[in-house]
Amino acid sequence: MTQILRFETMQFRTLTAWLMANFIGGCIIGYLESNGLQFMATLMLSGAIAGSAQWVVLKCLGYRGRRWSLWPLVSCVGWIAGVMLSLSLSEPIAYIKDGLIQNLGLWNIFGLNVVNRTLWITVMAISQGTILSISMQSRAQVISVWLLASWVGAALHGAIATALCSAYCQVLPPSLMGIIEGGGWAAYGVVTGLALVRFRQQGDEQL
């Protein structure tokens, strides 16, 4: 019974720490975006900031070594590559947008955020999943689960950040605007945090 409680406590702490790291990283990104860097912060710095915050949690959880020190770097490069992927697919995205507007009346900022966030996270997720999968028995499964969790988390990020901005962007001062982006990254952190907990449960000693 005691071992079960300790295990559940470890899972809760892992999820909470991961969620808070993503929330704080998102707040920093949102603050920079609203106080001088504007969209540049989201396009170029999100991966580096979020990845560094995540790396601190991983290090505190005992994940040390050469490959883990690469986490911020692959997050930064992967995010920028994902942004480039999104830009290269601008025409197909525009086609999808027109279809959604005509058939469902959907898109606007909400749809743009959901689709773009999912594309932006793709290369970063594959890179992170590769690090997570090293020494695991089923590397392809780990990468696939992490990619799927990242896609779902990124879609929630886009949806929640858009909803929060619609409700509060007009009333929040610039110094607190980071909370909007932080809320989006927290949603991403919940989904990917559950995946991280699962990996630890499967084989913590392998990581």
Side-chain angles (χ1 to χ4, degrees):
M1 184 66 178
T2 302
Q3 290 181 341
I4 294 176
L5 289 175
R6 287 180 179 175
F7 180 71
E8 291 179 349
T9 300
M10 181 196 71
Q11 289 181 316
F12 177 77
R13 288 178 177 175
T14 299
L15 181 59
T16 302
W18 186 259
L19 187 156
M20 289 304 300
N22 283 280
F23 173 74
I24 293 171
C27 285
I28 294 172
I29 295 166
Y31 176 83
L32 292 175
E33 185 176 334
S34 301
N35 291 272
L37 291 182
Q38 298 180 354
F39 201 52
M40 178 69 176
T42 300
L43 279 179
M44 296 300 173
L45 298 180
S46 293
I49 295 171
S52 296
Q54 294 167 355
W55 173 74
V56 171
V57 172
L58 292 170
K59 189 174 181 179
C60 291
L61 291 173
Y63 299 148
R64 296 180 174 88
R66 182 175 300 177
R67 79 174 190 264
W68 297 106
S69 65
L70 295 174
W71 190 275
L73 177 61
V74 301
S75 299
C76 174
V77 175
W79 180 271
I80 294 173
V83 171
M84 296 299 104
L85 173 65
S86 175
L87 293 175
S88 70
L89 295 175
S90 57
E91 290 187 7
I93 291 175
Y95 179 79
I96 295 173
K97 177 186 75 172
D98 293 340
L100 289 174
I101 291 175
Q102 293 175 5
N103 297 311
L104 300 176
L106 298 175
W107 192 257
N108 297 326
I109 299 299
F110 178 86
L112 184 64
N113 266 339
V114 169
V115 172
N116 275 345
R117 297 278 179 182
T118 305
L119 289 173
W120 293 349
I121 207 75
T122 298
V123 183
M124 172 176 152
I126 294 172
S127 302
Q128 291 179 340
T130 301
I131 292 179
L132 285 166
S133 69
I134 295 175
S135 300
M136 297 289 283
Q137 292 180 353
S138 179
R139 297 193 63 183
Q141 182 181 14
V142 171
I143 295 173
S144 298
V145 169
W146 189 254
L147 178 60
L148 178 60
S150 297
W151 276 341
V152 174
L156 286 175
H157 177 181
I160 289 175
T162 302
L164 289 174
C165 187
S166 177
Y168 300 109
C169 275
Q170 299 301 319
V171 298
L172 284 176
S175 59
L176 295 179
M177 287 295 291
I179 295 175
I180 303 296
E181 188 69 7
W185 276 98
Y188 161 86
V190 170
V191 182
T192 53
L194 290 171
L196 181 63
V197 167
R198 176 185 174 183
F199 296 151
R200 297 197 73 184
Q201 182 179 359
Q202 286 179 336
D204 190 34
E205 72 285 349
Q206 297 179 22
L207 291 173

PDB file of all heavy atoms in Angstrom, residues 191-207:
ATOM      1  N   VAL A 191      -1.335  17.229 -21.424  1.00  0.00           N
ATOM      2  CA  VAL A 191      -1.386  16.076 -22.324  1.00  0.00           C
ATOM      3  C   VAL A 191      -0.018  15.408 -22.436  1.00  0.00           C
ATOM      4  O   VAL A 191       0.108  14.185 -22.291  1.00  0.00           O
ATOM      5  CB  VAL A 191      -1.887  16.497 -23.719  1.00  0.00           C
ATOM      6  CG1 VAL A 191      -1.979  15.279 -24.640  1.00  0.00           C
ATOM      7  CG2 VAL A 191      -3.241  17.180 -23.621  1.00  0.00           C
ATOM      8  N   THR A 192       1.015  16.192 -22.695  1.00  0.00           N
ATOM      9  CA  THR A 192       2.357  15.607 -22.821  1.00  0.00           C
ATOM     10  C   THR A 192       2.866  15.112 -21.470  1.00  0.00           C
ATOM     11  O   THR A 192       3.643  14.154 -21.406  1.00  0.00           O
ATOM     12  CB  THR A 192       3.349  16.623 -23.410  1.00  0.00           C
ATOM     13  OG1 THR A 192       3.302  17.843 -22.645  1.00  0.00           O
ATOM     14  CG2 THR A 192       3.009  16.923 -24.862  1.00  0.00           C
ATOM     15  N   GLY A 193       2.409  15.748 -20.400  1.00  0.00           N
ATOM     16  CA  GLY A 193       2.802  15.284 -19.064  1.00  0.00           C
ATOM     17  C   GLY A 193       2.258  13.900 -18.763  1.00  0.00           C
ATOM     18  O   GLY A 193       2.943  13.068 -18.163  1.00  0.00           O
ATOM     19  N   LEU A 194       1.035  13.628 -19.194  1.00  0.00           N
ATOM     20  CA  LEU A 194       0.466  12.294 -19.020  1.00  0.00           C
ATOM     21  C   LEU A 194       1.269  11.261 -19.807  1.00  0.00           C
ATOM     22  O   LEU A 194       1.473  10.134 -19.338  1.00  0.00           O
ATOM     23  CB  LEU A 194      -0.995  12.286 -19.468  1.00  0.00           C
ATOM     24  CG  LEU A 194      -1.973  13.058 -18.573  1.00  0.00           C
ATOM     25  CD1 LEU A 194      -3.342  13.153 -19.235  1.00  0.00           C
ATOM     26  CD2 LEU A 194      -2.084  12.390 -17.206  1.00  0.00           C
ATOM     27  N   ALA A 195       1.729  11.645 -21.003  1.00  0.00           N
ATOM     28  CA  ALA A 195       2.564  10.734 -21.793  1.00  0.00           C
ATOM     29  C   ALA A 195       3.893  10.492 -21.085  1.00  0.00           C
ATOM     30  O   ALA A 195       4.388   9.351 -21.049  1.00  0.00           O
ATOM     31  CB  ALA A 195       2.806  11.322 -23.181  1.00  0.00           C
ATOM     32  N   LEU A 196       4.476  11.534 -20.520  1.00  0.00           N
ATOM     33  CA  LEU A 196       5.744  11.388 -19.808  1.00  0.00           C
ATOM     34  C   LEU A 196       5.591  10.468 -18.598  1.00  0.00           C
ATOM     35  O   LEU A 196       6.452   9.609 -18.339  1.00  0.00           O
ATOM     36  CB  LEU A 196       6.250  12.762 -19.361  1.00  0.00           C
ATOM     37  CG  LEU A 196       7.593  12.786 -18.618  1.00  0.00           C
ATOM     38  CD1 LEU A 196       8.719  12.280 -19.511  1.00  0.00           C
ATOM     39  CD2 LEU A 196       7.896  14.199 -18.125  1.00  0.00           C
ATOM     40  N   VAL A 197       4.502  10.617 -17.872  1.00  0.00           N
ATOM     41  CA  VAL A 197       4.228   9.745 -16.727  1.00  0.00           C
ATOM     42  C   VAL A 197       4.110   8.294 -17.185  1.00  0.00           C
ATOM     43  O   VAL A 197       4.603   7.377 -16.530  1.00  0.00           O
ATOM     44  CB  VAL A 197       2.947  10.198 -15.998  1.00  0.00           C
ATOM     45  CG1 VAL A 197       2.470   9.140 -15.012  1.00  0.00           C
ATOM     46  CG2 VAL A 197       3.184  11.512 -15.273  1.00  0.00           C
ATOM     47  N   ARG A 198       3.470   8.102 -18.324  1.00  0.00           N
ATOM     48  CA  ARG A 198       3.320   6.736 -18.856  1.00  0.00           C
ATOM     49  C   ARG A 198       4.688   6.134 -19.171  1.00  0.00           C
ATOM     50  O   ARG A 198       4.939   4.962 -18.875  1.00  0.00           O
ATOM     51  CB  ARG A 198       2.454   6.764 -20.113  1.00  0.00           C
ATOM     52  CG  ARG A 198       2.328   5.399 -20.769  1.00  0.00           C
ATOM     53  CD  ARG A 198       1.574   5.465 -22.070  1.00  0.00           C
ATOM     54  NE  ARG A 198       1.578   4.167 -22.756  1.00  0.00           N
ATOM     55  CZ  ARG A 198       1.037   3.947 -23.947  1.00  0.00           C
ATOM     56  NH1 ARG A 198       0.449   4.929 -24.589  1.00  0.00           N
ATOM     57  NH2 ARG A 198       1.094   2.761 -24.495  1.00  0.00           N
ATOM     58  N   PHE A 199       5.555   6.920 -19.772  1.00  0.00           N
ATOM     59  CA  PHE A 199       6.888   6.408 -20.099  1.00  0.00           C
ATOM     60  C   PHE A 199       7.653   6.035 -18.832  1.00  0.00           C
ATOM     61  O   PHE A 199       8.351   5.018 -18.793  1.00  0.00           O
ATOM     62  CB  PHE A 199       7.685   7.457 -20.889  1.00  0.00           C
ATOM     63  CG  PHE A 199       7.095   7.783 -22.233  1.00  0.00           C
ATOM     64  CD1 PHE A 199       7.276   9.040 -22.796  1.00  0.00           C
ATOM     65  CD2 PHE A 199       6.352   6.847 -22.940  1.00  0.00           C
ATOM     66  CE1 PHE A 199       6.735   9.343 -24.035  1.00  0.00           C
ATOM     67  CE2 PHE A 199       5.807   7.145 -24.175  1.00  0.00           C
ATOM     68  CZ  PHE A 199       5.999   8.402 -24.723  1.00  0.00           C
ATOM     69  N   ARG A 200       7.530   6.841 -17.799  1.00  0.00           N
ATOM     70  CA  ARG A 200       8.200   6.543 -16.549  1.00  0.00           C
ATOM     71  C   ARG A 200       7.642   5.262 -15.931  1.00  0.00           C
ATOM     72  O   ARG A 200       8.371   4.458 -15.360  1.00  0.00           O
ATOM     73  CB  ARG A 200       8.057   7.704 -15.552  1.00  0.00           C
ATOM     74  CG  ARG A 200       8.694   9.010 -15.983  1.00  0.00           C
ATOM     75  CD  ARG A 200       8.862   9.943 -14.821  1.00  0.00           C
ATOM     76  NE  ARG A 200       9.938   9.482 -13.941  1.00  0.00           N
ATOM     77  CZ  ARG A 200      10.245  10.075 -12.793  1.00  0.00           C
ATOM     78  NH1 ARG A 200       9.563  11.113 -12.367  1.00  0.00           N
ATOM     79  NH2 ARG A 200      11.233   9.619 -12.053  1.00  0.00           N
ATOM     80  N   GLN A 201       6.340   5.083 -16.065  1.00  0.00           N
ATOM     81  CA  GLN A 201       5.707   3.882 -15.518  1.00  0.00           C
ATOM     82  C   GLN A 201       6.170   2.639 -16.282  1.00  0.00           C
ATOM     83  O   GLN A 201       6.381   1.583 -15.686  1.00  0.00           O
ATOM     84  CB  GLN A 201       4.196   4.025 -15.615  1.00  0.00           C
ATOM     85  CG  GLN A 201       3.416   2.856 -15.041  1.00  0.00           C
ATOM     86  CD  GLN A 201       1.920   3.066 -15.133  1.00  0.00           C
ATOM     87  OE1 GLN A 201       1.438   4.091 -15.617  1.00  0.00           O
ATOM     88  NE2 GLN A 201       1.170   2.086 -14.668  1.00  0.00           N
ATOM     89  N   GLN A 202       6.343   2.754 -17.586  1.00  0.00           N
ATOM     90  CA  GLN A 202       6.740   1.622 -18.407  1.00  0.00           C
ATOM     91  C   GLN A 202       8.157   1.171 -18.107  1.00  0.00           C
ATOM     92  O   GLN A 202       8.485   0.001 -18.127  1.00  0.00           O
ATOM     93  CB  GLN A 202       6.608   1.963 -19.887  1.00  0.00           C
ATOM     94  CG  GLN A 202       5.161   1.995 -20.375  1.00  0.00           C
ATOM     95  CD  GLN A 202       5.083   2.353 -21.852  1.00  0.00           C
ATOM     96  OE1 GLN A 202       5.983   2.977 -22.409  1.00  0.00           O
ATOM     97  NE2 GLN A 202       4.001   1.970 -22.487  1.00  0.00           N
ATOM     98  N   GLY A 203       9.035   2.113 -17.897  1.00  0.00           N
ATOM     99  CA  GLY A 203      10.416   1.716 -17.687  1.00  0.00           C
ATOM    100  C   GLY A 203      11.302   2.881 -17.314  1.00  0.00           C
ATOM    101  O   GLY A 203      12.116   3.334 -18.099  1.00  0.00           O
ATOM    102  N   ASP A 204      11.116   3.385 -16.098  1.00  0.00           N
ATOM    103  CA  ASP A 204      11.871   4.546 -15.656  1.00  0.00           C
ATOM    104  C   ASP A 204      13.367   4.283 -15.685  1.00  0.00           C
ATOM    105  O   ASP A 204      14.166   5.142 -16.028  1.00  0.00           O
ATOM    106  CB  ASP A 204      11.435   4.938 -14.232  1.00  0.00           C
ATOM    107  CG  ASP A 204      11.998   6.283 -13.814  1.00  0.00           C
ATOM    108  OD1 ASP A 204      12.130   7.163 -14.706  1.00  0.00           O
ATOM    109  OD2 ASP A 204      12.309   6.461 -12.648  1.00  0.00           O
ATOM    110  N   GLU A 205      13.739   3.060 -15.334  1.00  0.00           N
ATOM    111  CA  GLU A 205      15.168   2.754 -15.285  1.00  0.00           C
ATOM    112  C   GLU A 205      15.802   2.742 -16.665  1.00  0.00           C
ATOM    113  O   GLU A 205      17.008   2.938 -16.819  1.00  0.00           O
ATOM    114  CB  GLU A 205      15.391   1.398 -14.628  1.00  0.00           C
ATOM    115  CG  GLU A 205      14.991   0.181 -15.442  1.00  0.00           C
ATOM    116  CD  GLU A 205      13.487  -0.037 -15.511  1.00  0.00           C
ATOM    117  OE1 GLU A 205      12.769   0.649 -14.750  1.00  0.00           O
ATOM    118  OE2 GLU A 205      13.022  -0.883 -16.288  1.00  0.00           O
ATOM    119  N   GLN A 206      14.966   2.572 -17.723  1.00  0.00           N
ATOM    120  CA  GLN A 206      15.497   2.566 -19.078  1.00  0.00           C
ATOM    121  C   GLN A 206      15.818   3.957 -19.574  1.00  0.00           C
ATOM    122  O   GLN A 206      16.676   4.155 -20.423  1.00  0.00           O
ATOM    123  CB  GLN A 206      14.496   1.899 -20.031  1.00  0.00           C
ATOM    124  CG  GLN A 206      14.236   0.439 -19.695  1.00  0.00           C
ATOM    125  CD  GLN A 206      13.217  -0.156 -20.654  1.00  0.00           C
ATOM    126  OE1 GLN A 206      13.008   0.334 -21.751  1.00  0.00           O
ATOM    127  NE2 GLN A 206      12.582  -1.229 -20.235  1.00  0.00           N
ATOM    128  N   LEU A 207      15.074   4.969 -19.049  1.00  0.00           N
ATOM    129  CA  LEU A 207      15.318   6.326 -19.464  1.00  0.00           C
ATOM    130  C   LEU A 207      16.610   6.859 -18.873  1.00  0.00           C
ATOM    131  O   LEU A 207      17.182   7.779 -19.386  1.00  0.00           O
ATOM    132  CB  LEU A 207      14.137   7.232 -19.049  1.00  0.00           C
ATOM    133  CG  LEU A 207      12.818   7.006 -19.790  1.00  0.00           C
ATOM    134  CD1 LEU A 207      11.735   7.844 -19.159  1.00  0.00           C
ATOM    135  CD2 LEU A 207      12.958   7.360 -21.252  1.00  0.00           C
TER     136      LEU A 207
END
